[in-house]
Amino acid sequence: MTDIVSPVPSSFTKTVSPARRDIGIKRRYAAERRFRMYGIAAILTGLFFLFLLLWTVISNGYTAFQQTTITLPIEFSEKIIDPKNERAENPGKLMAANYPLLVRDALIKVLNIDPSNRALVKRATDMVSASARTQLRDVVVANPAVIGTTVNVSLLAEGNVDSANKGQIDLDVDEARRKVNNQQLAWMKQLNDAGVMTKEFNTGLFTYGASSRPEAAGVGVAALGSLYMMLIVLVLSLPIGVAASIYLEEFAPKNRFTDLIEVNINNLAAVPSIVYGLLGLSIFINFAGMPRSAAVVGGLVLTLMTLPTIIIATRAALKAVPPSIRAAALGLGASKMQTIFHHVLPLAAPGILTGTIIGLAHALGETAPLLLIGMVAFVVDFPGSPMQPSTALPVQIYMWANEAERAFVERTSGAIIILLAFLIVMNFGAILLRRRFERRW
Amino acid sequence: MLFAVPVGLFSAIYMAEYARPSVRATAKPLLEILAGIPTIVYGFFALVTVGPFLRDISAELNGLVTGDYTSFIQAQSVLTAGLVMGIMLIPFVSSLSDDIITQVPRAMRDGSLGLGATRSETIKRVILPAALPGIVGALLLTASRAVGETMIVVLAAGVAARLQLNPFEPMTTVTVKIVNQLTGDLEFTSPQTLVAFALGITLFVITLCLNIYALYIVRKYREQYE
């Protein structure tokens, strides 16, 4: 440390005699190269971790965009669905019918299993997701005319079968400790050869809500919740932020009070996000009595979080507009309002937009405050309005990351890919805007 | 922090002093992507990749030294959380220090180079001392960020509330404690919730002090050259 503090290069005094200077230069150039190497190594380390991270996520997650389905000829037999023929007067009967039985019968037929061997039948039906029940119910309720006919329906395969089909389950492990047993593997091969079991693009990942079964879990609800929150954040924080910074930059007198405000805003930007979560919990939920785990509360908390970012960015953008523009507009007789809204603001707009986009991207990826206001809810239905319970994308990732099943690791990575795709698009947009409109005065 | 500071600082120095504009134009946005990735993703990365990797490595090392293949680093440990947090902080350190280093006036650099110092000597003996207050301020800002960081620690460091100094085992932090206290179904006035709020205040005060001090240093330093 001592030689760093000394302002005069000490080697300068040493290099007096020619003989010693030569040795010194060699050593110093070596030090120079070494130092340079450190710099390159540091940057490469950073980039290495960036790629490692992306690679982990993508290699784990790309399979989440595919889903194994089993297409079975389901016989919608009237005997099983509606034995007493009372669906005309009591439509609720259709909701409660024994749909798993239909799946079982179809599987028995396709796989040629002896129906009296219960253990074998049980294993076979385990291969189809338990969500098949609701899937068939929806088919029947939507179109009661299918009863009595045989229709090919693509059912979701169970999570473990799905993983096995994608080659993610180690088949060398002892059968007793494996999630998929040999019998099921043999069936899988049979179904694959028959073209019944296929891998399809996983639209469910984008449309389903939360589920404890990985094959039926998706980010649909979470994405909608995030969208609501982003809208709220945008609508609230952009006008407030821009208005605040215009006042601070153009109108406010420079005194102790505005100085204090400035210091405070800078501090707010660096307050840990979890503290905002506490604030939201106590003010919005406990004091104002807003509904828990609603997108409205999340949006408000995130608004508070992004406000300082937007204010700082906007002030910087306004500051970058040269005073000559203002002077010219004022000199031509424009009022202060006109100067700002007709000349200064349009020139500062790219900077403001960039700041807003970066703030929004930050808010989109924020998890901690949402955990505290109860957004870690198990929400299956789509929220109809921002006042209803919902989750957000990052929270969904957090919940899935805590699940143990292999199939959930894959879904988590899939959800991360979706989230990162959004963020990269937003950030890229911000960079493009900056490049495009960047000008030097 | 031990990990983030050297890496971030050296990349900042390289970017500011050595890198050609084209390298700078590609490497800087790439490093800034690291800053844009949400913390939950880092948490997942720690949970799935770094944690098991450290556990296996420590098992191998232990096996080589003592012949006993049990790992002394657990998958959820302070080390994991710290390492991943370090990765997250690299871009903060590097872009903040980059700004500060480029603010050092050209004349100081030219003077030192003109006297025959090599570039690394110029950096070590002239630019770094001049930029030191600013860099310290930047590091304090980064530190307050690390203290307030939640999601990585929730996923990577575990929830065991033990007071110990061994970084290889699970431990907990203030932020994790808050999350755990408040994510259940509790009455608002129950002692558990109030504990969480007390912890929140503590956290707020700590980071506020760090921030005010850091901003003060950064500001004071800026005024010197303007």
Side-chain angles (χ1 to χ4, degrees):
Chain A
M1 279 316 273
T2 44
D3 57 350
I4 290 181
V5 185
S6 76
V8 183
S10 54
S11 51
F12 182 74
T13 48
K14 283 182 206 156
T15 54
V16 183
S17 75
R20 282 177 66 186
R21 188 200 287 155
D22 284 347
I23 304 163
I25 278 179
K26 219 181 226 166
R27 186 178 48 75
R28 283 166 56 193
Y29 277 177
E32 163 84 18
R33 271 194 298 278
R34 212 161 45 232
F35 195 74
R36 229 178 144 135
M37 290 301 294
Y38 292 150
I40 295 177
I43 289 182
L44 288 184
T45 322
L47 294 183
F48 166 74
F49 279 111
L50 174 67
F51 288 118
L52 184 70
L53 198 134
L54 291 181
W55 184 77
T56 314
V57 169
I58 290 172
S59 66
N60 269 318
Y62 74 96
T63 47
F65 292 97
Q66 286 189 323
Q67 167 69 40
T68 308
T69 57
I70 302 176
T71 313
L72 291 175
I74 302 278
E75 190 191 346
F76 289 98
S77 122
E78 192 158 10
K79 249 192 293 175
I80 294 172
I81 299 177
D82 194 7
K84 291 179 200 142
N85 199 10
E86 47 189 11
R87 61 176 175 270
E89 55 264 31
N90 186 6
K93 260 289 181 234
L94 287 183
M95 303 294 281
N98 193 356
Y99 293 107
L101 208 59
L102 296 178
V103 179
R104 204 195 70 189
D105 291 349
L107 263 178
I108 288 174
K109 220 179 271 172
V110 170
L111 295 170
N112 288 324
I113 316 170
D114 176 16
S116 58
N117 187 343
R118 290 199 154 212
L120 220 53
V121 171
K122 169 90 173 52
R123 271 188 207 167
T125 45
D126 277 352
M127 290 173 64
V128 175
S129 162
S131 68
R133 189 176 169 277
T134 47
Q135 216 179 332
L136 289 181
R137 189 188 70 201
D138 292 346
V139 170
V140 173
V141 170
N143 180 17
V146 296
I147 295 176
T149 58
T150 304
V151 183
N152 273 331
V153 182
S154 293
L155 300 172
L156 298 173
E158 207 268 332
N160 289 319
V161 175
D162 185 35
S163 302
N165 195 32
K166 289 170 187 163
Q168 288 162 343
I169 288 188
D170 188 3
L171 298 180
D172 297 329
V173 179
D174 188 38
E175 191 184 350
R177 282 164 51 199
R178 215 191 301 143
K179 291 277 183 67
V180 183
N181 54 39
N182 291 339
Q183 176 69 62
Q184 285 175 329
L185 285 178
W187 281 333
M188 271 173 56
K189 199 162 177 305
Q190 192 185 335
L191 290 173
N192 265 327
D193 292 343
V196 174
M197 184 183 269
T198 45
K199 274 193 269 187
E200 287 174 7
F201 184 72
N202 191 358
T203 48
L205 185 64
F206 299 98
T207 51
Y208 293 141
S211 171
S212 55
R213 290 184 292 269
E215 67 273 9
V219 294
V221 171
L224 193 64
S226 278
L227 183 73
Y228 279 144
M229 290 198 302
M230 285 307 104
L231 283 180
I232 293 170
V233 171
L234 188 65
V235 166
L236 285 179
S237 66
L238 188 59
I240 298 178
V242 172
S245 33
I246 287 179
Y247 175 75
L248 282 177
E249 202 55 42
E250 306 282 338
F251 293 103
K254 292 263 171 284
N255 55 22
R256 281 192 87 92
F257 182 64
T258 47
D259 208 42
L260 189 74
I261 289 180
E262 196 185 330
V263 170
N264 264 313
I265 287 174
N266 280 336
N267 270 322
L268 276 184
V271 164
S273 55
I274 196 161
V275 175
Y276 283 104
L278 284 174
L279 180 81
L281 178 67
S282 62
I283 305 262
F284 295 134
I285 292 180
N286 198 44
F287 184 68
M290 287 189 188
R292 260 192 165 210
S293 45
V296 136
V297 184
L300 286 175
V301 170
L302 292 182
T303 306
L304 287 181
M305 256 188 63
T306 37
L307 257 182
T309 321
I310 293 184
I311 293 180
I312 291 172
T314 310
R315 290 191 64 180
L318 288 176
K319 228 180 246 171
V321 175
S324 60
I325 302 252
R326 279 181 204 115
L330 289 174
L332 285 174
S335 72
K336 192 138 195 191
M337 277 277 284
Q338 285 170 326
T339 312
I340 290 167
F341 283 99
H342 294 179
H343 301 282
V344 177
L345 212 50
L347 286 172
I352 297 174
L353 280 184
T354 321
T356 313
I357 293 177
I358 288 174
L360 275 185
H362 198 94
L364 181 62
E366 198 53 68
T367 327
L370 301 183
L371 290 184
L372 292 192
I373 54 166
M375 299 275 284
V376 261
F378 192 85
V379 185
V380 182
D381 298 320
F382 281 87
S385 75
M387 300 302 279
Q388 284 170 2
S390 63
T391 47
L393 262 178
V395 181
Q396 190 72 60
I397 293 172
Y398 168 70
M399 282 158 73
W400 282 351
N402 283 331
E403 300 272 353
E405 274 179 84
R406 177 67 188 77
F408 265 118
V409 174
E410 172 193 306
R411 303 256 146 176
T412 316
S413 309
I416 289 179
I417 293 178
I418 297 175
L419 181 65
L420 282 185
F422 272 119
L423 290 179
I424 286 174
V425 167
M426 286 170 94
N427 278 323
F428 202 67
I431 290 173
L432 276 187
L433 265 178
R434 194 161 57 190
R435 281 268 167 81
R436 178 117 197 233
F437 294 102
E438 198 171 46
R439 52 177 109 187
R440 304 248 171 240
W441 302 97
Chain B
M1 285 300 282
L2 265 184
F3 176 75
V5 170
V7 173
L9 210 53
F10 270 116
S11 34
I13 291 171
Y14 188 82
M15 294 273 201
E17 298 291 325
Y18 287 114
R20 273 174 288 131
S22 60
V23 178
R24 196 180 146 95
T26 44
K28 207 169 178 203
L30 276 178
L31 275 186
E32 274 168 5
I33 289 180
L34 271 179
I37 292 175
T39 54
I40 177 82
V41 178
Y42 283 105
F44 176 73
F45 176 65
L47 190 71
V48 172
T49 310
V50 179
F53 173 74
L54 283 178
R55 187 191 56 208
D56 295 345
I57 274 236
S58 69
E60 286 293 319
L61 279 180
N62 201 12
L64 285 180
V65 175
T66 60
D68 170 25
Y69 279 90
T70 49
S71 59
F72 57 88
I73 303 180
Q74 297 185 11
Q76 284 196 328
S77 69
V78 177
L79 189 68
T80 316
L83 199 63
V84 176
M85 214 184 270
I87 299 175
M88 185 193 85
L89 295 178
I90 290 175
F92 287 115
V93 180
S94 81
S95 65
L96 281 172
S97 349
D98 193 359
D99 289 347
I100 288 155
I101 289 172
T102 39
Q103 269 178 16
V104 174
R106 185 86 233 161
M108 286 177 78
R109 226 160 294 189
D110 293 346
S112 167
L113 290 173
L115 284 172
T118 62
R119 276 172 127 180
S120 65
E121 283 164 353
T122 312
I123 293 165
K124 274 187 273 187
R125 306 234 163 97
V126 177
I127 295 176
L128 277 190
L132 199 61
I135 289 176
V136 170
L139 291 187
L140 281 178
L141 274 182
T142 326
S144 87
R145 243 205 152 93
V147 171
E149 181 43 58
T150 321
M151 295 318 297
I152 292 177
V153 198
V154 168
L155 283 178
V159 288
R162 275 179 292 179
L163 192 64
Q164 58 181 7
L165 289 175
N166 182 2
F168 298 143
E169 287 186 16
M171 247 166 88
T172 188
T173 66
V174 177
T175 47
V176 179
K177 203 77 200 145
I178 297 177
V179 169
N180 286 328
Q181 299 281 25
L182 278 186
T183 40
D185 290 319
L186 289 169
E187 279 291 309
F188 192 80
T189 47
S190 74
Q192 300 221 14
T193 342
L194 297 180
V195 163
F197 275 91
L199 287 172
I201 288 180
T202 321
L203 188 66
F204 180 76
V205 169
I206 293 174
T207 50
L208 195 69
C209 291
L210 275 176
N211 287 333
I212 290 180
Y213 188 54
L215 285 174
Y216 169 74
I217 292 179
V218 171
R219 265 193 162 190
K220 200 174 163 196
Y221 166 73
R222 274 208 190 124
E223 278 157 12
Q224 281 176 3
Y225 294 118
E226 270 168 12

